[in-house]
Amino acid sequence: MITPYFVTLQDRLFCAIVKSMVKTATALLLHLLTVEVDSEAIDVRDRGAVDLATFECRDINRSSIIQRVCYDRAQSNLIVSVRGLYDQYCNLPPVIFDGLMSAPSMGQFFNRNIRGSASGGAYDCWGDRIPKY
């Protein structure tokens, strides 16, 4: 089969639009890959501003109690957003964090295994346990 030498104006216009879109997408991707990422800081109850640079954070949409979880494996520190307020927990072993993330009910797991009473819970940050970020 012989391909016609001429191309319609509509074909030329379509090719020009596609080329323009590819150039724009490429430029956008290059920009996103070269932009410096600033770390995020949040306000933690009874602690003040905490820089999340060393934390791995996850937004939670399967819990009615917990909205966000940030964990620093190197320091074993957890920050949890419960109904919009951030609280911090210290010396939390990775196995407890992994249990929280895989629990059928994150709220129940959190209340039973992480959150202490009004004070003195196993993972409450106090005294020399307060991390220096």
Side-chain angles (χ1 to χ4, degrees), residues 1-71:
M1 184 167 152
I2 299 174
T3 306
Y5 180 76
F6 62 92
V7 178
T8 66
L9 181 60
Q10 189 176 12
D11 290 339
R12 287 182 189 170
L13 183 59
F14 177 75
C15 287
I17 290 172
V18 169
K19 284 180 182 178
S20 176
M21 289 173 61
V22 168
K23 285 181 182 178
T24 302
T26 302
L28 180 60
L29 284 173
L30 287 173
H31 177 71
L32 289 174
L33 293 173
T34 59
V35 171
E36 270 189 49
V37 177
D38 293 331
S39 62
E40 177 185 2
I42 57 167
D43 188 41
V44 176
R45 184 178 10 198
D46 299 327
R47 172 100 166 85
V50 173
D51 185 356
L52 296 178
T54 61
F55 287 82
E56 174 190 335
C57 295
R58 301 179 192 178
D59 292 326
I60 306 299
N61 56 16
R62 63 182 184 93
S63 174
S64 59
I65 295 173
I66 298 172
Q67 287 82 45
R68 191 173 189 203
V69 174
C70 299
Y71 187 61

Side-chain angles (χ1 to χ4, degrees), residues 59-127:
D59 292 326
I60 306 299
N61 56 16
R62 63 182 184 93
S63 174
S64 59
I65 295 173
I66 298 172
Q67 287 82 45
R68 191 173 189 203
V69 174
C70 299
Y71 187 61
D72 180 344
R73 283 193 186 272
Q75 299 293 321
S76 299
N77 291 321
L78 176 73
I79 295 177
V80 179
S81 174
V82 177
R83 295 192 173 106
L85 295 174
Y86 284 98
D87 288 309
Q88 187 167 18
Y89 300 90
C90 296
N91 299 326
L92 187 98
V95 67
I96 300 294
F97 172 73
D98 294 337
L100 172 66
M101 297 310 295
S102 64
S105 171
M106 292 181 80
Q108 283 183 355
F109 185 95
F110 176 73
N111 286 327
R112 289 184 183 151
N113 299 288
I114 298 172
R115 178 185 267 174
S117 56
S119 64
Y123 304 112
D124 286 352
C125 298
W126 46 266

